[in-house]
Amino acid sequence: PELAAFSGIWLGTYEWTYYADNVRIKRDVVIVVEKITANKLDLVFAFGEMRPYYRNNNVAWKRVSATFDSTTRKVTIPLGDPLFSTPGTATIWLLEDGSMSILRKKVHEGASDYTGVLKKQL
């Protein structure tokens, strides 16, 4: 039942600060949960262009298998190529209002963490 709440299509925006240029960057994010089994979620993670336009601007998507931690009630999503040149993870969890919070720890020293909120579409 806890994992069933993650089902569906989620849309939102995450953002971060790039300190060298003191600019706040936003990027649309889509998460589609395709399958749920035991403590795993098979999903599509995708994002659009950065706003404002920034160097190395790319759009990408990837099918990944994410892991649910029943203690923290959070899902860890492995991220790397083609989404990010630097491997890492994103964490998602559900908020009391039914929305989804997303966090990706900073990709490099010159940027803040990526944070955002997604809303369920279906």
Side-chain angles (χ1 to χ4, degrees), residues 16-110:
W16 67 99
T17 299
Y18 182 65
Y19 299 125
D21 295 340
N22 194 30
V23 67
R24 191 78 177 152
I25 300 171
K26 295 181 179 185
R27 176 170 261 178
D28 294 329
V29 178
V30 177
I31 295 176
V32 179
V33 179
E34 296 184 305
K35 183 178 178 183
I36 298 172
T37 56
N39 68 336
K40 298 279 185 194
L41 287 86
D42 293 334
L43 53 89
V44 175
F45 185 95
F47 57 76
E49 292 183 341
M50 292 180 265
R51 299 181 312 272
Y53 178 77
Y54 209 66
R55 31 180 122 90
N56 300 324
N57 202 2
N58 63 327
V59 298
W61 68 275
K62 184 177 184 178
R63 279 195 165 87
V64 295
S65 183
T67 306
F68 177 72
D69 183 325
S70 59
T71 304
T72 63
R73 297 169 121 78
K74 294 181 178 182
V75 175
T76 301
I77 304 170
L79 300 176
D81 285 337
L83 295 172
F84 295 94
S85 57
T86 306
T89 60
T91 305
I92 57 173
W93 63 95
L94 300 178
L95 302 172
E96 288 184 23
D97 68 359
S99 60
M100 177 187 287
S101 188
I102 184 168
L103 168 69
R104 174 160 161 71
K105 292 292 187 178
K106 58 184 168 182
V107 176
H108 54 79
E109 289 303 314

Side-chain angles (χ1 to χ4, degrees), residues 8-20:
I9 299 170
W10 299 82
L11 300 175
T13 301
Y14 65 36
E15 51 188 89
W16 67 99
T17 299
Y18 182 65
Y19 299 125

